[in-house]
Amino acid sequence: MNIQNNGKPDAARILRQSLGAAVVGLATFAALVPQAAQGQTIKIGVPVPLSGSSANAGTDILNGAKLAAAKINAAGGVLGKQIELVPEDDACDAQTAVQAAQKLVDAGVVAVAGGYCSSAALPELTTFHRAGIPYVLDASTNPKLTEMGYDNVFRTIGRDDQQGPFAASFIKNSLNAKRVAVIDDNTTYSKGLAQNTVEALKKDGVDVVYADSITPGQMDYSPTLTKVASLKPDVIYYTGYFSEAGLIVKEARQLGLKMTLMGGDGTNDPTLMKTAGPAADGMIITTSPLAQFLSGAHGYVDDYTKAYGQGPGPYSVYEYDAVGVTAKAIADAKSTTPAAIIAALHKVKDYPGLTGTIGFNPKGDRSRAVYITVIVRNDQFEAYQRQDAAGKWVAMK
């Protein structure tokens, strides 16, 4: 403290010191407040592939998020603020995904709703967990995502270890197949679904005559198909993505293969038919219910078609629900603090989503996941079969 000649403190200097301390204190406080809470919007991140071979699926998911945000904002938003979506391209690539996730953290998102390829969602989840931000997945189905002990991960869709046994049951009990070939593309999602399906088939006494990987992005899969055909399977089940599935189906029929061709939910995209052409007719796919087959989503299909000039793909409606349940958690928490949103998401039990009632178990998985089979007919996906309450396979109306 400075003492002047009259023995009294320098009042001006004291005032300057006090103001300086106050400014530092305010700056420190501001740094502790979530960025979105200080702004006029609530930022929700949407990491999806917007480039590469899965861009069609990523764009579809982002479109679903946009419709959800528009409806929420038209009704007044959440906590008096508008939802602002922050999309980032993860290209279904692990390294790109890490960068995309960090960009979302730096942008000040308070929650994230999205994901497509599990191989990208896994590193994204690690980044979001480190930052304490909730991640609500709409399409990433690898079991590991909710088996890592993280409290900030949730899913509006089922897991591969649920789809695998479902596919195996259909193959054995509906198709009555005795010999099956399972092909994956060596990605996290594809290998996980393949392994779970093979395990379930073997447990059910079905002979798995082939279980191996292809390399995505190749121009010719006929050598693999020729090898598989020599083993005389009744069914070929491909667990990779639609970009390769279309070529595999086309080449299989060109080679004269007559067995039933099936795909997992990663093959469920209109691009499949564009690539395979008429060869896709009769292909059967295991999947979560599509929007057009959900009684509560008819209005959504109309809104999507009006907004984007075509019908929704397989996952946009699950993204719509992911954004919706995230907004509900923010409202329930009465806070945009990520930790409060995570706690509110864990309490969700009966959110009325377009895909059905949504609740989360302690791991963050959807409590009641549903799967169906669809079939390609005349360049369209048609509902095919489902299991009734007794586990019997019945035609879908």
Side-chain angles (χ1 to χ4, degrees):
M1 183 178 291
N2 181 49
I3 304 295
Q4 293 186 335
N5 292 335
N6 61 9
K8 294 181 180 180
D10 185 342
R13 176 166 295 185
I14 293 175
L15 178 60
R16 286 196 299 271
Q17 291 174 340
S18 298
L19 287 173
V23 169
V24 171
L26 286 172
T28 302
F29 175 77
L32 296 174
V33 178
Q35 183 176 339
Q38 300 176 52
Q40 299 303 310
T41 62
I42 298 174
K43 295 182 179 180
I44 296 178
V46 184
V48 286
L50 298 174
S51 62
S53 61
S54 297
N56 192 61
T59 299
D60 175 62
I61 291 169
L62 180 56
N63 288 344
K66 290 177 179 178
L67 288 177
K71 184 170 183 179
I72 293 166
N73 289 339
V78 183
L79 304 182
K81 297 183 178 182
Q82 297 280 283
I83 295 293
E84 178 186 351
L85 299 179
V86 185
E88 280 293 341
D89 179 16
D90 65 22
C92 272
D93 173 76
Q95 184 174 351
T96 306
V98 172
Q99 297 168 355
Q102 190 58 53
K103 287 179 181 179
L104 291 175
V105 173
D106 294 343
V109 301
V110 300
V112 179
Y116 180 62
C117 295
S118 294
S119 54
L122 281 165
E124 287 167 354
L125 174 58
T126 299
T127 298
F128 296 138
H129 177 69
R130 193 178 297 121
I133 295 172
Y135 191 5
V136 184
L137 299 157
D138 71 298
S140 301
T141 54
N142 187 268
K144 187 178 179 181
L145 285 156
T146 47
E147 293 290 344
M148 298 170 71
Y150 293 167
D151 69 346
N152 67 312
V153 59
F154 305 87
R155 252 194 277 243
T156 60
I157 201 163
R159 298 169 30 144
D160 294 333
D161 53 359
Q162 295 170 313
Q163 184 180 181
F166 174 86
S169 175
F170 175 79
I171 289 168
K172 178 185 178 181
N173 300 313
S174 180
L175 298 181
N176 299 311
K178 306 296 183 185
R179 298 167 62 82
V180 180
V182 179
I183 304 174
D184 67 77
D185 69 3
N186 212 30
T187 62
T188 301
Y189 151 73
S190 184
K191 284 189 71 69
L193 178 54
Q195 290 168 358
N196 281 285
T197 304
V198 168
E199 289 174 5
L201 286 168
K202 290 180 176 179
K203 185 177 180 180
D204 287 346
V206 178
D207 187 9
V208 179
V209 299
Y210 183 91
D212 208 346
S213 307
I214 61 162
T215 301
Q218 293 186 340
M219 301 302 293
D220 182 13
Y221 295 107
S222 57
T224 297
L225 290 168
T226 299
K227 181 178 180 180
V228 170
S230 70
L231 301 173
K232 296 181 170 35
D234 302 311
V235 173
I236 296 176
Y237 185 48
Y238 177 64
T239 64
Y241 293 95
F242 58 85
S243 51
E244 285 76 30
L247 181 57
I248 288 172
V249 169
K250 184 177 181 179
E251 291 183 340
R253 295 313 187 205
Q254 287 175 342
L255 290 169
L257 306 190
K258 303 296 184 184
M259 70 282 291
T260 300
L261 301 180
M262 289 183 58
D265 52 356
T267 67
N268 186 6
D269 188 279
T271 307
L272 170 76
M273 285 86 86
K274 294 178 182 177
T275 304
D281 267 22
M283 183 180 181
I284 300 171
I285 296 171
T286 58
T287 182
S288 296
L290 308 185
Q292 58 264 41
F293 306 140
L294 293 165
S295 58
H298 293 164
Y300 171 80
V301 173
D302 292 341
D303 291 344
Y304 189 106
T305 304
K306 182 178 179 180
Y308 303 111
Q310 61 184 16
Y315 297 110
S316 66
V317 70
Y318 293 89
E319 173 70 2
Y320 184 96
D321 279 352
V323 173
V325 75
T326 300
K328 176 66 162 57
I330 294 171
D332 290 347
K334 297 181 176 59
S335 170
T336 56
T337 303
I341 300 170
I342 291 171
L345 282 165
H346 277 290
K347 296 178 182 178
V348 172
K349 299 299 179 186
D350 55 0
Y351 175 75
L354 297 185
T355 60
T357 301
I358 295 175
F360 300 115
N361 66 21
K363 292 181 179 180
D365 285 309
R366 185 167 179 160
S367 301
R368 294 178 292 277
V370 178
Y371 286 96
I372 64 170
T373 61
V374 300
I375 190 168
V376 178
R377 289 192 177 121
N378 301 318
D379 230 20
Q380 299 288 332
F381 291 120
E382 293 185 7
Y384 189 53
Q385 290 186 0
R386 64 175 179 83
Q387 285 180 295
D388 63 15
K392 181 181 178 181
W393 288 95
V394 296
M396 293 185 65
K397 299 179 179 178

